[in-house]
Amino acid sequence: MQINLLDKADWSTEPETSYTFLTDIIQSFDSAEQRVALRNNPRKTFTYLYTLEGIRAAEFKHKLSNWVDTIYLVPDFTEVVTFEKDESDESSIIPVLPDSNGFEGGDKVLIDGALYDLQTNSGLSTQNISIIPQLGRDLAAGTPVYRVNKCAVVTEPAFLQVTSSVLQVSIKFEVLPDWFIPRERDTQTPPEAVYGIPVLTQRPNRARDVTATFKAVYEQFDPGPGVYRRTPMHEYSVTQSTWTFSNLSQLTEFKQLMNATQGSCGQFFAESDADDIFLAQDLDGSSTNLIAVKSFLSEAGAAGRYIAITLNDGSKHYRHVTNCVTGETTEILTLDTAPPTADKNQVARISWLNCCRFLSDEFKYIHHTDEASQITKNIKTTIKIDE
């Protein structure tokens, strides 16, 4: 079987990268769910567009002439990682910002047009990574290092002859499973956790939020004329949100949550889009009571839920509400631990932390640059939390 190394694609159209898990969801009559992950590691596909001219166009077309029986080494320039050379050893490099899956032993990388083999696992640590062959030269800090995937073409290549010498090729690749090996779901150390449950800390772009709420009771007719009963269901809603990532750190955090939840299998906490809690008094930092303006929090089931206190400096403080007492104009929320010391004008917002899961197993990223990207996902919010 032939193996060809393909050139890096261009940016004439924004490339797409998809990660697809597989979840089996069993739902009872009252909407309670049992979710089982059938695929721990996602399938990865990406779509590239190549614009080639002259001899490069001819070479590329010849490489794709037997695309059904060919495996391609394809640089993934949407997962760029900057490294610095280890000055004490020309056979190793030090990762500056690894991608969400880390670089594993046996991977191949492309550095300044040359192909190298990685020999040492790195994960997200800062340990040195051995490379073969040796660099034999100085490597400037910040030099991009591209992961090279072993891929199969999953759609027929589309050729567009722009002129007699310029060729455009659009291809969708699928990374072969014996090559792309992301980290297993990390249940012990999730990316960020509140009471052991992962938290989605990044706020979506509110301008594109679309929410649809479903009924919270289930009506069923009993045998007999005109008789019916109402059976309580788990209340839930579905929200479509869009996230825009401006740097690799934000994209890495989202991918960590994606892997931690195994697609739509696992639950996580996310801040509510509305229904904020408004302070009636300053936070003294010693009392576990939070005095809020009355907005019928007791009726909303405040006791037992979680909140996120966001200060103007961007810091977040998560708390568990253990009790709620309603007065004439205020409500007293009892927290498990004291909130931070802050005046009312120092608190940006106090929002509910809703229990959520992703509604689908596919995560499709649209890449604007090698660092900036965007994803749109549907999130199912429910009061029910897995024990």
Side-chain angles (χ1 to χ4, degrees):
M1 181 173 287
Q2 186 178 3
I3 297 180
N4 286 324
L5 174 64
L6 297 184
D7 297 334
K8 191 180 79 171
D10 59 40
W11 288 93
S12 54
T13 61
E14 295 176 335
E16 293 182 354
T17 305
S18 297
Y19 298 81
T20 306
F21 292 86
L22 187 61
T23 302
D24 187 15
I25 300 177
I26 303 172
Q27 192 170 28
S28 66
F29 76 95
D30 65 349
S31 78
E33 295 179 343
Q34 180 179 353
R35 299 172 302 280
V36 180
L38 303 180
R39 183 185 295 150
N40 291 331
N41 298 325
R43 291 174 57 182
K44 180 183 178 184
T45 59
F46 48 84
T47 304
Y48 281 169
L49 181 71
Y50 297 84
T51 302
L52 308 153
E53 187 173 1
I55 185 64
R56 293 183 64 242
E59 290 177 350
F60 197 92
K61 203 167 185 178
H62 293 155
K63 287 182 178 181
L64 292 179
S65 58
N66 296 316
W67 62 272
V68 176
D69 299 319
T70 304
I71 294 176
Y72 299 95
L73 301 181
V74 182
D76 188 350
F77 63 100
T78 62
E79 289 191 358
V80 61
V81 181
T82 55
F83 283 74
E84 60 184 14
K85 180 174 174 290
D86 184 4
E87 297 180 355
S88 63
D89 187 356
E90 292 186 350
S91 64
S92 65
I93 52 181
I94 301 175
V96 176
L97 182 62
D99 74 304
S100 61
N101 299 313
F103 275 72
E104 304 293 340
D107 279 356
K108 292 182 181 294
V109 293
L110 192 69
I111 307 175
D112 289 340
L115 203 62
Y116 295 87
D117 289 317
L118 303 184
Q119 300 299 312
T120 306
N121 293 343
S122 69
L124 293 176
S125 68
T126 57
Q127 70 181 65
N128 295 4
I129 301 178
S130 300
I131 59 174
I132 297 178
Q134 293 186 5
L135 286 171
R137 55 186 172 81
D138 293 333
L139 179 65
T143 300
V145 177
Y146 300 99
R147 179 197 297 276
V148 175
N149 294 306
K150 187 177 181 183
C151 300
V153 178
V154 296
T155 58
E156 297 184 15
F159 296 90
L160 176 63
Q161 199 74 43
V162 181
T163 68
S164 59
S165 60
V166 178
L167 177 71
Q168 274 192 351
V169 186
S170 178
I171 315 178
K172 185 176 182 180
F173 294 99
E174 179 170 349
V175 179
L176 299 182
D178 63 339
W179 191 271
F180 176 70
I181 308 177
R183 293 179 299 160
E184 295 286 344
R185 177 182 177 186
D186 192 348
T187 58
Q188 300 299 320
T189 54
E192 184 168 353
V194 177
Y195 305 98
I197 299 179
V199 176
L200 176 59
T201 60
Q202 296 167 338
R203 297 282 299 166
N205 301 337
R206 296 182 61 89
R208 298 187 62 181
D209 283 356
V210 179
T211 301
T213 301
F214 293 78
K215 62 182 181 182
V217 294
Y218 175 72
E219 296 185 2
Q220 178 180 349
F221 284 93
D222 277 342
V227 179
Y228 72 96
R229 68 168 180 263
R230 299 170 72 95
T231 303
M233 296 180 67
H234 294 297
E235 185 177 357
Y236 68 93
S237 63
V238 176
T239 304
Q240 183 185 75
S241 300
T242 299
W243 291 266
T244 300
F245 311 106
S246 59
N247 56 62
L248 290 176
S249 297
Q250 294 176 347
L251 184 59
T252 295
E253 181 182 341
F254 197 94
K255 285 186 178 180
Q256 285 177 327
L257 179 67
M258 175 192 76
N259 281 284
T261 59
Q262 292 179 300
S264 62
C265 182
Q267 290 179 308
F268 58 91
F269 279 145
E271 293 184 37
S272 62
D273 295 314
D275 302 328
D276 286 355
I277 301 172
F278 299 93
L279 284 176
Q281 296 182 14
D282 298 337
L283 302 176
D284 60 15
S286 59
S287 172
T288 58
N289 289 336
L290 185 152
I291 313 298
V293 177
K294 183 178 180 180
S295 57
F296 300 96
L297 302 178
S298 298
E299 285 79 357
R305 297 183 65 181
Y306 302 91
I307 61 173
I309 303 173
T310 305
L311 303 183
N312 291 334
D313 60 6
S315 62
K316 292 183 180 293
H317 307 266
Y318 303 109
R319 297 295 186 268
H320 183 205
V321 180
T322 60
N323 193 26
C324 181
V325 178
T326 301
E328 292 185 2
T329 59
T330 61
E331 290 180 279
I332 302 177
L333 299 179
T334 303
L335 310 180
D336 58 342
T337 56
T341 303
D343 298 336
K344 288 191 294 182
N345 57 5
Q346 294 178 315
V347 178
R349 68 189 301 248
I350 301 178
S351 55
W352 298 107
L353 280 178
N354 294 325
C355 183
C356 307
R357 72 167 176 84
F358 293 114
L359 200 61
S360 67
D361 281 322
E362 184 180 36
F363 297 77
K364 181 178 291 185
Y365 299 90
I366 299 175
H367 300 275
H368 307 312
T369 69
D370 55 3
E371 290 194 355
S373 62
Q374 188 179 78
I375 186 173
T376 298
K377 288 290 296 179
N378 287 333
I379 289 182
K380 180 176 180 179
T381 299
T382 177
I383 297 177
K384 176 65 175 177
I385 301 175
D386 289 346
E387 297 296 338

